[in-house]
Amino acid sequence: MLSEKVDQMMEWSSRRSVIRMNGDKFRRFVKAPPRNYSVIVMFTALQPQRQCSVCQANEEYQVLANSWRYSSAFSNKLFFTVVDYDEGADVFQQIRVFRPPNYSGTIALALLVSLVGGLLYLRRNNLEFIYNKTGWAMAALCVVFAMTSGQMWNHIRGPPYAHKNPQNGQVSYIHGSSQAQFVAESHIILLL
């Protein structure tokens, strides 16, 4: 059975560097023993309606798999595969992936640290601006105004910018309830 699995993987790999898998193939060739080879699996959602912003790594993954396939080190010990959500949704449930990872917060933090580090490096001979009370007061006020206006609530809850009444077409920028708000409402409060 092992030799049949390896032969099948080699046949698929000879046709395409990246082997497309569905749920049945994944369970048989990746999860089920016996297996004396390694499998690198990329989980993705390539269909445009999925709007997966982090799925752009597919082209780089193809380049990597092609490099391995046509290298002198190529053997039957390593295979590159891909599982698309539309072809193997059961695999995503099996490995408990319900949504793609979102690295925007990590990227924003890295960008902020880089900007602060760059500013300190450029101004290393004159760091008196760090002791400027007016600058710190303005920064603190900006944070207080942003939080008072409800920006954090918007970030957590993700409300719409405004609401358009379907009956009369009127746009509401301020929510009628005291338990909710629109993004436009927080912008109005911030400006006030």
Side-chain angles (χ1 to χ4, degrees), residues 9-76:
M9 292 290 278
M10 285 299 288
E11 180 185 333
W12 287 333
S13 185
S14 67
R15 284 190 240 144
R16 300 179 86 187
S17 297
V18 177
I19 303 167
R20 295 189 72 84
M21 297 235 160
N22 58 20
D24 294 331
K25 287 181 183 177
F26 182 82
R27 280 186 288 281
R28 182 170 174 221
F29 292 97
V30 177
K31 295 287 281 181
R35 199 181 82 218
N36 66 349
Y37 54 87
S38 298
V39 180
I40 298 175
V41 183
M42 182 173 81
F43 297 96
T44 187
L46 295 175
Q47 299 299 323
Q49 69 266 18
R50 296 282 177 206
Q51 299 177 351
C52 179
S53 60
V54 298
C55 296
Q56 305 304 319
N58 185 48
E59 293 175 12
E60 288 82 5
Y61 188 69
Q62 293 282 344
V63 170
L64 177 66
N66 283 330
S67 298
W68 166 251
R69 172 68 183 90
Y70 296 108
S71 73
S72 61
F74 176 73
S75 69
N76 61 358

Side-chain angles (χ1 to χ4, degrees), residues 20-155:
R20 295 189 72 84
M21 297 235 160
N22 58 20
D24 294 331
K25 287 181 183 177
F26 182 82
R27 280 186 288 281
R28 182 170 174 221
F29 292 97
V30 177
K31 295 287 281 181
R35 199 181 82 218
N36 66 349
Y37 54 87
S38 298
V39 180
I40 298 175
V41 183
M42 182 173 81
F43 297 96
T44 187
L46 295 175
Q47 299 299 323
Q49 69 266 18
R50 296 282 177 206
Q51 299 177 351
C52 179
S53 60
V54 298
C55 296
Q56 305 304 319
N58 185 48
E59 293 175 12
E60 288 82 5
Y61 188 69
Q62 293 282 344
V63 170
L64 177 66
N66 283 330
S67 298
W68 166 251
R69 172 68 183 90
Y70 296 108
S71 73
S72 61
F74 176 73
S75 69
N76 61 358
K77 298 294 182 193
L78 178 66
F79 298 100
F80 287 83
T81 64
V82 64
V83 178
D84 191 279
Y85 185 81
D86 292 318
E87 296 172 7
D90 56 329
V91 175
F92 283 77
Q93 293 171 351
Q94 183 180 346
I95 63 169
R96 295 186 182 102
V97 173
F98 303 108
R99 63 181 175 81
N102 186 353
Y103 299 111
S104 60
T106 306
I107 292 170
L109 179 63
L111 182 63
L112 178 67
V113 168
S114 299
L115 287 173
V116 169
L119 178 67
L120 291 174
Y121 177 76
L122 291 174
R123 303 272 317 230
R124 64 185 175 273
N125 295 332
N126 185 4
L127 295 176
E128 290 180 20
F129 70 95
I130 293 176
Y131 302 107
N132 185 344
K133 290 181 183 179
T134 306
W136 285 108
M138 293 298 289
L141 280 176
C142 287
V143 170
V144 168
F145 290 151
M147 294 303 147
T148 303
S149 70
Q151 280 300 108
M152 186 53 67
W153 191 91
N154 290 339
H155 182 72

